[in-house]
Every structure is written in structure tokens, then in C-alpha cells.
Amino acid sequence: AVFRESPVPAAWVTLAADRYPVIREANPAFLELVGLPGDEVRGVRLSSLLSPTQPADVDALYSGRDLQTLGRDGLVRWLRPTLSGRFLEPEPDPIVGAREEYAVLVLEDVTADRVSEELLRQQARRDSLTGLPNRAALVERLEEALASSTPDAPVGLLILDIDDLKVVNNGLGHLAGDQLIIQMGQRFFEQLGARDYLVRTGGDEFAVLRPRPVADDSLDDLAERMLQAAIEPFVLDTRPVSVSVSIGEAESDESTEIPGDLLRSADIALQRAKHAGRRQAARFEPGEDKPAIERMGIEQLLRAALDQDALVCLFQPIVLAASGRVVAAETLVRLRDDSGALIPPPSFLPLASELGLLGVLTDQVLRQACRAASRWLEMGHEIRVAFNAPPQWLNSVALGTVE
């Protein structure tokens, strides 16, 4: 009575020799859930109630993995199984000649949870302002496209940047800027081919993924249409506003391994288009990313050297011509790369200044210079040590005793 009156969908199932459970008896809550009357469920394999791709053997049920079923109403439902207890019939089955094993199967309808999870997953891949897919969705699509690309069928990518969005935000306000982004996205969408995938990557940037080439519509053609789409003034808060876009183009090749590779290539091309005067498209050229890669390597070496106080300081002697005596030394700073080679200052000092690391670097050079002068003094050599310090460092530091 407790079994039949329980509001929890439950059934007695026989654990057949092939490990696919057969329904022996089900309570009304179970029958309502699967949408079948009792006389149609009894003796039916559980797998016949589920989608064909769903595993429904004993191992799957004990694992608790959600199962998918299609009801008579045509709606998909997700069910979470719990298989508990394993019992043996007191008497052998007269046909099989063995004692049957059976268990209690409880099903929980988790369709609402799965739908909510899917909605959250979709929302996490949508831009809230334009409704377009976002950067996370682009990366997923790029991964899929690159996995199936070939040298003869490369993946194409455009990155499109609104040149004057900051001017609009400052002059008309961010609501007007949002309207510009929405209208620009609509214009871009109208220029797409059947296979093209438009996303808003964030801020003032959009991207278009072309999973494979189109015979009569090159990536250059698509970029040109996007440039033309932005020419006509936009109406923002009843005011006509003219803006432009800059575009970076890139196609995958044998060196493209992950989405980040193609995104970086398109972004490098975009920066070239902007530096060339904006309002144009530029295509990434092989090897164009070499300076960026070298810069990243130098930055890593510089940060590691500063963290470990491992700058290399060399000292160039200044000698009196008459006596040949060393009276002073000039400090020369170098970085050491992984091969042991020394990197000269022009390769890393401008970068240190750009990264705000020049003060830390100068402090470390000063300490090494003072330590060298102290060692020489202990050896009986009074040698003045000079080093170059940037003016901003001299203005911000209080000179004193160096340990």
C-alpha cells in the first residue's frame, strides 16, 4: 500500500541477465510520469521508454546519470534514476529455472532543472545588449571550425572595431553609445553570408567567423561590405552621427592550433588598420605576429629578472691614460635569456618604462652598483661607479644608504 500510494514515481524492476531492467510493477506516480497505463508498462524493458541514445542498463542506473525520455505529449523529459536494493525471489522462476533478482527504481523529474541549466548556459553565451552570441560562444565555434579545417579550406575571421564609440559616449552619453552598438550590429548582420557567424566580443568590438571559404564571396569582399555598412550616418537620440569601423582579417593555416591563435592574428591586423588611419581593413600577413611574440618573451624575462633580483650588471672601466689606473666604472645593465645570451638595453628599457617597471629596475641597478663599489673599496680600490637613472626616478626617490 505504501508503494502504490507514494507520490514518488517508483517501480519494481527485474534485473535481467543482459543487465537491462524490466519493469515488473509501477505505482501510479511512475505511470503518470512515463505517460503509460499499468497494463502497458508491466513486462516492458526500461530502455524502451527512453530515447534510443540513452544508456539504461544497471550500471547507468546505479550511476545516477540523467535519462531522457519522450512522452506521448511529444515533450522531452529528463529523469534522474535511483536504483536501490537488490533482492532475490524466494523461489526459482519456473521458466528460467533460477531465482530472479529485482530492485526498486525511483525516478525524479528534473526537466525544469535541465531547462534552467540550458537557459543559463545560453545566456552565458549571449551579449545582453545586442542579443548576439558573445566571445565565449565565438571561442566554442572557433574550436569546432578549426577541428574540421584543412589547408584548402581555412577558417576565416574578421574583428571589427567601432572607431569613434568613445567620442559618442563622451559627447552624447552611454545610452547613445549603446544604441550605436545595437544599430551597428544590425547593419553587420544584414551583410552576412549563409555560413557567417556574427558575435559581439565586448566593448566596441564585433567579430565574424567564417567556418569555411565561400567560392563567390571572399573574406575581403565581406570586410568591404562591413566597411560600407557603417558609412551611412546613424540616428542617435534624433541626431545623425557618423562613425567608422576598422577591420582586421585573418585565416587559419598550419600554425593555427587554438582559437587564441586566430584571434591574435586578426587583432594584430586590426591594430595595423587603425594605425594606418582607421576606416579600412587590413589582412594579417604570416610573420606579422613575430614582434608581439618577441615582446611577450622579453616581458616574461624582465619580470622574472626583477622578481629574482637577477639583472646582469656589467661595469665598463674608466682609465687614466697617464697611469693606466682605473678610477671609475660605468654600470651597464643587461637581461640574460634562456640560452645565456645577454640582451642589450634598447630591447627592454622602453618596455620597462611602458610597463611601469623602470623604477624597480633602477633600484636594483643602483643596489648592484653600490655593492660593486663597496667590494672594490674593501680590496683597496677607490673606484667611483656611475649609472644612468631616468629623471622620473630621481624625482620620486629619496637617496640614502644602500644595503
Side-chain angles (χ1 to χ4, degrees), residues 172-199:
L172 300 179
H174 284 271
L175 289 179
D178 288 347
Q179 284 301 309
L180 173 60
I181 291 170
I182 292 170
Q183 292 182 36
M184 187 70 81
Q186 292 169 343
R187 291 193 188 183
F188 287 159
F189 187 82
E190 292 169 356
Q191 309 306 318
L192 299 178
R195 299 176 180 174
D196 300 331
Y197 185 67
L198 174 67
V199 307

PDB file of all heavy atoms in Angstrom, residues 172-199:
ATOM      1  N   LEU A 172      27.502  62.244 -26.250  1.00  0.00           N
ATOM      2  CA  LEU A 172      26.045  62.048 -26.188  1.00  0.00           C
ATOM      3  C   LEU A 172      25.603  61.168 -25.037  1.00  0.00           C
ATOM      4  O   LEU A 172      24.400  61.028 -24.800  1.00  0.00           O
ATOM      5  CB  LEU A 172      25.555  61.431 -27.511  1.00  0.00           C
ATOM      6  CG  LEU A 172      25.815  62.239 -28.779  1.00  0.00           C
ATOM      7  CD1 LEU A 172      25.299  61.488 -30.003  1.00  0.00           C
ATOM      8  CD2 LEU A 172      25.159  63.610 -28.682  1.00  0.00           C
ATOM      9  N   GLY A 173      26.551  60.548 -24.343  1.00  0.00           N
ATOM     10  CA  GLY A 173      26.199  59.686 -23.222  1.00  0.00           C
ATOM     11  C   GLY A 173      26.232  58.214 -23.606  1.00  0.00           C
ATOM     12  O   GLY A 173      26.180  57.852 -24.785  1.00  0.00           O
ATOM     13  N   HIS A 174      26.286  57.368 -22.596  1.00  0.00           N
ATOM     14  CA  HIS A 174      26.438  55.931 -22.838  1.00  0.00           C
ATOM     15  C   HIS A 174      25.180  55.293 -23.406  1.00  0.00           C
ATOM     16  O   HIS A 174      25.259  54.268 -24.091  1.00  0.00           O
ATOM     17  CB  HIS A 174      26.851  55.226 -21.542  1.00  0.00           C
ATOM     18  CG  HIS A 174      28.295  55.448 -21.199  1.00  0.00           C
ATOM     19  ND1 HIS A 174      29.301  54.622 -21.649  1.00  0.00           N
ATOM     20  CD2 HIS A 174      28.905  56.420 -20.478  1.00  0.00           C
ATOM     21  CE1 HIS A 174      30.464  55.053 -21.205  1.00  0.00           C
ATOM     22  NE2 HIS A 174      30.252  56.159 -20.483  1.00  0.00           N
ATOM     23  N   LEU A 175      24.007  55.871 -23.144  1.00  0.00           N
ATOM     24  CA  LEU A 175      22.791  55.321 -23.746  1.00  0.00           C
ATOM     25  C   LEU A 175      22.839  55.459 -25.261  1.00  0.00           C
ATOM     26  O   LEU A 175      22.434  54.550 -25.998  1.00  0.00           O
ATOM     27  CB  LEU A 175      21.554  56.029 -23.188  1.00  0.00           C
ATOM     28  CG  LEU A 175      21.198  55.709 -21.732  1.00  0.00           C
ATOM     29  CD1 LEU A 175      19.962  56.508 -21.301  1.00  0.00           C
ATOM     30  CD2 LEU A 175      20.941  54.210 -21.554  1.00  0.00           C
ATOM     31  N   ALA A 176      23.336  56.601 -25.742  1.00  0.00           N
ATOM     32  CA  ALA A 176      23.507  56.793 -27.179  1.00  0.00           C
ATOM     33  C   ALA A 176      24.557  55.827 -27.714  1.00  0.00           C
ATOM     34  O   ALA A 176      24.402  55.266 -28.816  1.00  0.00           O
ATOM     35  CB  ALA A 176      23.906  58.238 -27.482  1.00  0.00           C
ATOM     36  N   GLY A 177      25.615  55.611 -26.940  1.00  0.00           N
ATOM     37  CA  GLY A 177      26.638  54.643 -27.341  1.00  0.00           C
ATOM     38  C   GLY A 177      26.074  53.238 -27.458  1.00  0.00           C
ATOM     39  O   GLY A 177      26.407  52.495 -28.387  1.00  0.00           O
ATOM     40  N   ASP A 178      25.193  52.878 -26.526  1.00  0.00           N
ATOM     41  CA  ASP A 178      24.554  51.555 -26.593  1.00  0.00           C
ATOM     42  C   ASP A 178      23.697  51.431 -27.847  1.00  0.00           C
ATOM     43  O   ASP A 178      23.683  50.381 -28.508  1.00  0.00           O
ATOM     44  CB  ASP A 178      23.693  51.321 -25.352  1.00  0.00           C
ATOM     45  CG  ASP A 178      24.523  51.088 -24.097  1.00  0.00           C
ATOM     46  OD1 ASP A 178      25.741  50.869 -24.221  1.00  0.00           O
ATOM     47  OD2 ASP A 178      23.943  51.138 -22.988  1.00  0.00           O
ATOM     48  N   GLN A 179      22.958  52.500 -28.171  1.00  0.00           N
ATOM     49  CA  GLN A 179      22.138  52.474 -29.373  1.00  0.00           C
ATOM     50  C   GLN A 179      23.000  52.331 -30.625  1.00  0.00           C
ATOM     51  O   GLN A 179      22.625  51.639 -31.577  1.00  0.00           O
ATOM     52  CB  GLN A 179      21.288  53.753 -29.468  1.00  0.00           C
ATOM     53  CG  GLN A 179      20.098  53.771 -28.531  1.00  0.00           C
ATOM     54  CD  GLN A 179      19.170  52.596 -28.786  1.00  0.00           C
ATOM     55  OE1 GLN A 179      18.762  52.340 -29.927  1.00  0.00           O
ATOM     56  NE2 GLN A 179      18.827  51.867 -27.732  1.00  0.00           N
ATOM     57  N   LEU A 180      24.155  52.973 -30.618  1.00  0.00           N
ATOM     58  CA  LEU A 180      25.073  52.847 -31.751  1.00  0.00           C
ATOM     59  C   LEU A 180      25.524  51.391 -31.905  1.00  0.00           C
ATOM     60  O   LEU A 180      25.556  50.850 -33.020  1.00  0.00           O
ATOM     61  CB  LEU A 180      26.275  53.761 -31.558  1.00  0.00           C
ATOM     62  CG  LEU A 180      27.409  53.605 -32.581  1.00  0.00           C
ATOM     63  CD1 LEU A 180      26.909  53.887 -33.992  1.00  0.00           C
ATOM     64  CD2 LEU A 180      28.582  54.525 -32.227  1.00  0.00           C
ATOM     65  N   ILE A 181      25.868  50.758 -30.796  1.00  0.00           N
ATOM     66  CA  ILE A 181      26.311  49.363 -30.848  1.00  0.00           C
ATOM     67  C   ILE A 181      25.203  48.468 -31.396  1.00  0.00           C
ATOM     68  O   ILE A 181      25.439  47.600 -32.247  1.00  0.00           O
ATOM     69  CB  ILE A 181      26.743  48.897 -29.445  1.00  0.00           C
ATOM     70  CG1 ILE A 181      28.025  49.615 -29.022  1.00  0.00           C
ATOM     71  CG2 ILE A 181      26.948  47.382 -29.405  1.00  0.00           C
ATOM     72  CD1 ILE A 181      28.407  49.401 -27.575  1.00  0.00           C
ATOM     73  N   ILE A 182      23.964  48.680 -30.941  1.00  0.00           N
ATOM     74  CA  ILE A 182      22.835  47.865 -31.393  1.00  0.00           C
ATOM     75  C   ILE A 182      22.609  48.054 -32.892  1.00  0.00           C
ATOM     76  O   ILE A 182      22.465  47.080 -33.651  1.00  0.00           O
ATOM     77  CB  ILE A 182      21.561  48.225 -30.601  1.00  0.00           C
ATOM     78  CG1 ILE A 182      21.713  47.799 -29.134  1.00  0.00           C
ATOM     79  CG2 ILE A 182      20.343  47.549 -31.220  1.00  0.00           C
ATOM     80  CD1 ILE A 182      20.616  48.310 -28.224  1.00  0.00           C
ATOM     81  N   GLN A 183      22.592  49.311 -33.335  1.00  0.00           N
ATOM     82  CA  GLN A 183      22.349  49.584 -34.748  1.00  0.00           C
ATOM     83  C   GLN A 183      23.492  49.061 -35.619  1.00  0.00           C
ATOM     84  O   GLN A 183      23.259  48.542 -36.716  1.00  0.00           O
ATOM     85  CB  GLN A 183      22.164  51.081 -34.968  1.00  0.00           C
ATOM     86  CG  GLN A 183      20.888  51.646 -34.358  1.00  0.00           C
ATOM     87  CD  GLN A 183      20.725  53.130 -34.632  1.00  0.00           C
ATOM     88  OE1 GLN A 183      21.095  53.617 -35.701  1.00  0.00           O
ATOM     89  NE2 GLN A 183      20.186  53.870 -33.666  1.00  0.00           N
ATOM     90  N   MET A 184      24.739  49.184 -35.120  1.00  0.00           N
ATOM     91  CA  MET A 184      25.872  48.681 -35.886  1.00  0.00           C
ATOM     92  C   MET A 184      25.777  47.164 -36.031  1.00  0.00           C
ATOM     93  O   MET A 184      26.035  46.606 -37.109  1.00  0.00           O
ATOM     94  CB  MET A 184      27.183  49.060 -35.205  1.00  0.00           C
ATOM     95  CG  MET A 184      28.425  48.715 -36.011  1.00  0.00           C
ATOM     96  SD  MET A 184      28.620  49.746 -37.484  1.00  0.00           S
ATOM     97  CE  MET A 184      29.334  51.227 -36.742  1.00  0.00           C
ATOM     98  N   GLY A 185      25.396  46.484 -34.947  1.00  0.00           N
ATOM     99  CA  GLY A 185      25.233  45.037 -35.017  1.00  0.00           C
ATOM    100  C   GLY A 185      24.176  44.638 -36.033  1.00  0.00           C
ATOM    101  O   GLY A 185      24.343  43.651 -36.767  1.00  0.00           O
ATOM    102  N   GLN A 186      23.081  45.397 -36.110  1.00  0.00           N
ATOM    103  CA  GLN A 186      22.031  45.110 -37.086  1.00  0.00           C
ATOM    104  C   GLN A 186      22.546  45.285 -38.516  1.00  0.00           C
ATOM    105  O   GLN A 186      22.249  44.472 -39.404  1.00  0.00           O
ATOM    106  CB  GLN A 186      20.832  46.020 -36.838  1.00  0.00           C
ATOM    107  CG  GLN A 186      20.112  45.716 -35.529  1.00  0.00           C
ATOM    108  CD  GLN A 186      19.086  46.772 -35.149  1.00  0.00           C
ATOM    109  OE1 GLN A 186      19.111  47.889 -35.679  1.00  0.00           O
ATOM    110  NE2 GLN A 186      18.192  46.435 -34.233  1.00  0.00           N
ATOM    111  N   ARG A 187      23.329  46.329 -38.738  1.00  0.00           N
ATOM    112  CA  ARG A 187      23.875  46.542 -40.085  1.00  0.00           C
ATOM    113  C   ARG A 187      24.867  45.433 -40.450  1.00  0.00           C
ATOM    114  O   ARG A 187      24.869  44.951 -41.591  1.00  0.00           O
ATOM    115  CB  ARG A 187      24.552  47.908 -40.163  1.00  0.00           C
ATOM    116  CG  ARG A 187      23.591  49.070 -40.078  1.00  0.00           C
ATOM    117  CD  ARG A 187      24.292  50.362 -40.472  1.00  0.00           C
ATOM    118  NE  ARG A 187      23.458  51.533 -40.225  1.00  0.00           N
ATOM    119  CZ  ARG A 187      23.813  52.775 -40.540  1.00  0.00           C
ATOM    120  NH1 ARG A 187      25.002  52.992 -41.116  1.00  0.00           N
ATOM    121  NH2 ARG A 187      23.012  53.794 -40.292  1.00  0.00           N
ATOM    122  N   PHE A 188      25.706  45.053 -39.520  1.00  0.00           N
ATOM    123  CA  PHE A 188      26.647  43.963 -39.788  1.00  0.00           C
ATOM    124  C   PHE A 188      25.896  42.676 -40.128  1.00  0.00           C
ATOM    125  O   PHE A 188      26.269  41.938 -41.041  1.00  0.00           O
ATOM    126  CB  PHE A 188      27.552  43.729 -38.579  1.00  0.00           C
ATOM    127  CG  PHE A 188      28.599  44.790 -38.369  1.00  0.00           C
ATOM    128  CD1 PHE A 188      29.184  44.967 -37.115  1.00  0.00           C
ATOM    129  CD2 PHE A 188      29.014  45.605 -39.402  1.00  0.00           C
ATOM    130  CE1 PHE A 188      30.158  45.931 -36.911  1.00  0.00           C
ATOM    131  CE2 PHE A 188      29.992  46.588 -39.202  1.00  0.00           C
ATOM    132  CZ  PHE A 188      30.552  46.744 -37.953  1.00  0.00           C
ATOM    133  N   PHE A 189      24.827  42.405 -39.372  1.00  0.00           N
ATOM    134  CA  PHE A 189      24.069  41.174 -39.566  1.00  0.00           C
ATOM    135  C   PHE A 189      23.500  41.095 -40.981  1.00  0.00           C
ATOM    136  O   PHE A 189      23.445  40.018 -41.587  1.00  0.00           O
ATOM    137  CB  PHE A 189      22.945  41.087 -38.532  1.00  0.00           C
ATOM    138  CG  PHE A 189      22.212  39.771 -38.535  1.00  0.00           C
ATOM    139  CD1 PHE A 189      22.721  38.667 -37.873  1.00  0.00           C
ATOM    140  CD2 PHE A 189      21.004  39.643 -39.215  1.00  0.00           C
ATOM    141  CE1 PHE A 189      22.052  37.455 -37.891  1.00  0.00           C
ATOM    142  CE2 PHE A 189      20.322  38.446 -39.232  1.00  0.00           C
ATOM    143  CZ  PHE A 189      20.855  37.338 -38.569  1.00  0.00           C
ATOM    144  N   GLU A 190      23.087  42.240 -41.507  1.00  0.00           N
ATOM    145  CA  GLU A 190      22.494  42.270 -42.847  1.00  0.00           C
ATOM    146  C   GLU A 190      23.510  41.948 -43.941  1.00  0.00           C
ATOM    147  O   GLU A 190      23.110  41.622 -45.068  1.00  0.00           O
ATOM    148  CB  GLU A 190      21.885  43.651 -43.104  1.00  0.00           C
ATOM    149  CG  GLU A 190      20.674  43.950 -42.232  1.00  0.00           C
ATOM    150  CD  GLU A 190      20.242  45.396 -42.308  1.00  0.00           C
ATOM    151  OE1 GLU A 190      20.953  46.182 -42.994  1.00  0.00           O
ATOM    152  OE2 GLU A 190      19.218  45.760 -41.690  1.00  0.00           O
ATOM    153  N   GLN A 191      24.798  42.019 -43.637  1.00  0.00           N
ATOM    154  CA  GLN A 191      25.833  41.777 -44.642  1.00  0.00           C
ATOM    155  C   GLN A 191      26.356  40.336 -44.629  1.00  0.00           C
ATOM    156  O   GLN A 191      27.191  39.984 -45.458  1.00  0.00           O
ATOM    157  CB  GLN A 191      27.017  42.736 -44.416  1.00  0.00           C
ATOM    158  CG  GLN A 191      26.648  44.190 -44.300  1.00  0.00           C
ATOM    159  CD  GLN A 191      25.840  44.677 -45.481  1.00  0.00           C
ATOM    160  OE1 GLN A 191      26.132  44.353 -46.620  1.00  0.00           O
ATOM    161  NE2 GLN A 191      24.801  45.475 -45.200  1.00  0.00           N
ATOM    162  N   LEU A 192      25.865  39.517 -43.721  1.00  0.00           N
ATOM    163  CA  LEU A 192      26.419  38.174 -43.550  1.00  0.00           C
ATOM    164  C   LEU A 192      26.019  37.242 -44.675  1.00  0.00           C
ATOM    165  O   LEU A 192      24.928  37.351 -45.247  1.00  0.00           O
ATOM    166  CB  LEU A 192      25.944  37.574 -42.222  1.00  0.00           C
ATOM    167  CG  LEU A 192      26.340  38.302 -40.938  1.00  0.00           C
ATOM    168  CD1 LEU A 192      25.747  37.577 -39.735  1.00  0.00           C
ATOM    169  CD2 LEU A 192      27.857  38.397 -40.806  1.00  0.00           C
ATOM    170  N   GLY A 193      26.920  36.297 -44.952  1.00  0.00           N
ATOM    171  CA  GLY A 193      26.590  35.186 -45.815  1.00  0.00           C
ATOM    172  C   GLY A 193      25.910  34.091 -45.013  1.00  0.00           C
ATOM    173  O   GLY A 193      25.798  34.170 -43.779  1.00  0.00           O
ATOM    174  N   ALA A 194      25.486  33.029 -45.696  1.00  0.00           N
ATOM    175  CA  ALA A 194      24.722  31.965 -45.050  1.00  0.00           C
ATOM    176  C   ALA A 194      25.517  31.261 -43.961  1.00  0.00           C
ATOM    177  O   ALA A 194      24.955  30.799 -42.964  1.00  0.00           O
ATOM    178  CB  ALA A 194      24.257  30.956 -46.100  1.00  0.00           C
ATOM    179  N   ARG A 195      26.829  31.160 -44.114  1.00  0.00           N
ATOM    180  CA  ARG A 195      27.658  30.431 -43.154  1.00  0.00           C
ATOM    181  C   ARG A 195      28.303  31.323 -42.097  1.00  0.00           C
ATOM    182  O   ARG A 195      28.955  30.825 -41.182  1.00  0.00           O
ATOM    183  CB  ARG A 195      28.772  29.672 -43.892  1.00  0.00           C
ATOM    184  CG  ARG A 195      28.276  28.630 -44.883  1.00  0.00           C
ATOM    185  CD  ARG A 195      29.451  28.025 -45.625  1.00  0.00           C
ATOM    186  NE  ARG A 195      29.032  27.014 -46.590  1.00  0.00           N
ATOM    187  CZ  ARG A 195      29.860  26.421 -47.449  1.00  0.00           C
ATOM    188  NH1 ARG A 195      31.144  26.766 -47.461  1.00  0.00           N
ATOM    189  NH2 ARG A 195      29.406  25.506 -48.279  1.00  0.00           N
ATOM    190  N   ASP A 196      28.169  32.625 -42.240  1.00  0.00           N
ATOM    191  CA  ASP A 196      28.878  33.545 -41.349  1.00  0.00           C
ATOM    192  C   ASP A 196      28.199  33.613 -39.980  1.00  0.00           C
ATOM    193  O   ASP A 196      26.983  33.496 -39.866  1.00  0.00           O
ATOM    194  CB  ASP A 196      28.944  34.937 -41.971  1.00  0.00           C
ATOM    195  CG  ASP A 196      29.683  34.933 -43.301  1.00  0.00           C
ATOM    196  OD1 ASP A 196      30.573  34.082 -43.468  1.00  0.00           O
ATOM    197  OD2 ASP A 196      29.349  35.764 -44.171  1.00  0.00           O
ATOM    198  N   TYR A 197      29.024  33.851 -38.968  1.00  0.00           N
ATOM    199  CA  TYR A 197      28.567  33.836 -37.564  1.00  0.00           C
ATOM    200  C   TYR A 197      29.040  35.114 -36.907  1.00  0.00           C
ATOM    201  O   TYR A 197      30.232  35.330 -36.696  1.00  0.00           O
ATOM    202  CB  TYR A 197      29.170  32.608 -36.875  1.00  0.00           C
ATOM    203  CG  TYR A 197      28.724  32.362 -35.461  1.00  0.00           C
ATOM    204  CD1 TYR A 197      27.417  31.999 -35.156  1.00  0.00           C
ATOM    205  CD2 TYR A 197      29.637  32.469 -34.398  1.00  0.00           C
ATOM    206  CE1 TYR A 197      27.021  31.737 -33.852  1.00  0.00           C
ATOM    207  CE2 TYR A 197      29.254  32.209 -33.088  1.00  0.00           C
ATOM    208  CZ  TYR A 197      27.950  31.843 -32.828  1.00  0.00           C
ATOM    209  OH  TYR A 197      27.567  31.581 -31.521  1.00  0.00           O
ATOM    210  N   LEU A 198      28.084  36.023 -36.613  1.00  0.00           N
ATOM    211  CA  LEU A 198      28.393  37.339 -36.044  1.00  0.00           C
ATOM    212  C   LEU A 198      28.295  37.298 -34.529  1.00  0.00           C
ATOM    213  O   LEU A 198      27.325  36.772 -33.976  1.00  0.00           O
ATOM    214  CB  LEU A 198      27.425  38.384 -36.596  1.00  0.00           C
ATOM    215  CG  LEU A 198      27.511  39.795 -36.013  1.00  0.00           C
ATOM    216  CD1 LEU A 198      28.834  40.460 -36.378  1.00  0.00           C
ATOM    217  CD2 LEU A 198      26.328  40.642 -36.504  1.00  0.00           C
ATOM    218  N   VAL A 199      29.280  37.867 -33.850  1.00  0.00           N
ATOM    219  CA  VAL A 199      29.255  37.949 -32.389  1.00  0.00           C
ATOM    220  C   VAL A 199      29.681  39.357 -31.975  1.00  0.00           C
ATOM    221  O   VAL A 199      30.334  40.080 -32.734  1.00  0.00           O
ATOM    222  CB  VAL A 199      30.206  36.923 -31.731  1.00  0.00           C
ATOM    223  CG1 VAL A 199      29.935  35.527 -32.227  1.00  0.00           C
ATOM    224  CG2 VAL A 199      31.670  37.277 -31.962  1.00  0.00           C
TER     225      VAL A 199
END
